[in-house]
Amino acid sequence: PAGKAGILTASARDFGTERGVSDLGAANQAGFMNRFLADGIVPRFNWACGDAWEDDFKQPPAGNDTTYVDNADIVFYIGHGYGGGFTFESNVDDGYLTYTDAAGAWGNNDLEWLSLLSCQVLTGTYDGKSWATRWGPSFNGLHLLLGFQTNAYDWHGFGGRFADWTLGRDLIFIKLPPLPIRAAWCQAKAEQQPASVEAVVMGVVGPGGVISGWNDYFWGKGPVSADLRGGNIHGYWRIVYK
């Protein structure tokens, strides 16, 4: 698409960031990105404001997620949200990524973990539909969807702290080991969100009732579950961390 550039060739480990707003989130975007860069992980894309597009999250032919969001291992989105989706300042396509837009979109190319610093996207019920009914169909190889069921806040340390716990946190005299991505999200919430905030992690149930993705680490940091699609997805699980 016109205006998009800087896409890199395939790599073993990569990440992307999308900030759909100009009035908040710059420090969180930079904190997440800089920590991944420090670990030698390749930036697939780093979009903000008018360059962050709804189109980047949608499956072709409606969108271009195989070039952007579904062309990275982990993606960190920052912006406004609600129970039906999340928003963008750009009008490509209409500025709203809804759960119907996302159906079948995430994981069939590359994406394993999608994290959303956005209000209420993973709330329990919205418009009479459960979290599983709304967001379950978006899993097409995606391992985990991370977000919030309450409002979330643009506390500047959240993005960097999530990345720290995902990759291993460096303190002055000691390096703490990485956490599973599920636990890294919850720990970042505990340290860098108000106590009233409720974080959510969502994943799939595989054959035999196996809870898939629960102990996923980022690549090279620990075990990673298999991609599950179609008939291998038998249900969905979620945790709410208060």
Side-chain angles (χ1 to χ4, degrees):
K4 293 282 192 175
I7 301 305
L8 305 177
T9 56
S11 68
R13 303 190 306 164
D14 50 23
F15 73 94
T17 66
E18 293 254 353
R19 177 163 58 92
V21 290
S22 56
D23 60 339
L24 54 81
N28 270 304
Q29 184 177 24
F32 180 90
M33 179 180 68
N34 290 337
R35 180 63 185 87
F36 271 77
L37 290 174
D39 212 73
I41 299 165
V42 174
R44 181 67 55 193
F45 53 88
N46 180 42
W47 303 129
C49 310
D51 291 326
W53 296 354
E54 172 204 1
D55 195 64
D56 299 342
F57 289 78
K58 294 168 67 174
Q59 179 82 354
N64 289 288
D65 80 334
T66 52
T67 302
Y68 300 105
V69 169
D70 208 354
N71 195 30
D73 296 320
I74 188 168
V75 172
F76 185 47
Y77 163 88
I78 304 158
H80 300 301
Y82 64 107
F86 45 97
T87 70
F88 299 84
E89 286 182 351
S90 164
N91 60 2
V92 182
D93 294 327
D94 59 18
Y96 291 85
L97 191 286
T98 67
Y99 57 85
T100 54
D101 292 331
W106 297 334
N108 58 311
N109 190 57
D110 186 22
L111 182 66
E112 282 87 32
W113 309 286
L114 176 58
S115 52
L116 309 173
L117 179 52
S118 189
C119 296
Q120 301 182 25
V121 176
L122 296 183
T123 194
T125 302
Y126 175 80
D127 197 26
K129 297 180 175 64
S130 73
W131 56 274
T133 299
R134 299 193 319 275
W135 295 106
S138 67
F139 283 75
N140 191 15
L142 181 70
H143 295 200
L144 297 175
L145 180 60
L146 310 120
F148 297 88
Q149 75 165 358
T150 59
N151 287 344
Y153 294 83
D154 184 32
W155 285 20
H156 293 177
F158 180 84
R161 192 56 53 83
F162 171 49
D164 275 343
W165 285 117
T166 297
L167 301 175
R169 189 175 175 200
D170 286 313
L171 301 178
I172 296 173
F173 298 112
I174 189 172
K175 181 169 182 175
L176 299 177
L179 298 176
I181 291 173
R182 160 193 53 82
W185 187 253
C186 295
Q187 186 64 31
K189 178 271 169 192
E191 297 178 16
Q192 295 292 332
Q193 289 289 315
S196 60
V197 169
E198 298 180 1
V200 176
V201 181
M202 178 180 172
V204 300
V205 178
V210 173
I211 304 297
S212 185
W214 181 264
N215 281 322
D216 268 14
Y217 288 78
F218 189 72
W219 293 111
K221 303 298 181 179
V224 179
S225 61
D227 295 351
L228 296 179
R229 302 183 180 92
N232 284 323
I233 296 177
H234 291 201
Y236 307 97
W237 61 264
R238 80 166 189 161
I239 59 166
V240 178
Y241 183 81
K242 300 183 179 181

